Amino acid sequence: MSTVIYPHIELSANGEPVLAGVVQVRWAVEIARRLMHTAGGPGSIRQLKFKSPIRPEALLDLTLTRSEGTSAIAFAFRSASGEHSSGRLHY
């Protein structure tokens, strides 16, 4: 069970505050919708990987890349410490 400290931040199993994975996916979907003009939500999310926790103080970069010839958009969250999460939104 996670304990919510403030919006979007939860305590991990070892008690460290981290950005919830479901929030990372939601942000990727919402930002893709606004910047890449997608309609609605994705039909599926594939190759979803959470590689390292995102701490509350992290400054994040989100990369969105539309795959040629498909309706998929790849996303990745990165900070100075490296890549935190990635996946493919299939519309």
Side-chain angles (χ1 to χ4, degrees), residues 72-86:
I73 297 173
F75 73 89
F77 281 100
R78 294 179 180 87
S79 73
S81 63
E83 189 169 275
H84 295 280
S85 60
S86 63

Side-chain angles (χ1 to χ4, degrees), residues 8-60:
H8 310 306
I9 302 296
E10 295 182 345
L11 292 179
S12 66
N14 65 359
E16 297 291 322
V18 296
L19 181 64
V22 68
V23 173
Q24 296 171 51
V25 172
R26 181 172 179 170
W27 286 355
V29 169
E30 287 298 316
I31 294 169
R33 183 180 60 78
R34 292 178 187 171
L35 297 179
M36 303 186 103
H37 310 291
T38 60
S44 65
I45 301 170
R46 300 180 189 164
Q47 299 174 331
L48 183 59
K49 296 181 178 88
F50 297 103
K51 300 171 184 177
S52 65
I54 298 174
R55 304 279 306 183
E57 66 276 3
L59 296 176
L60 297 173

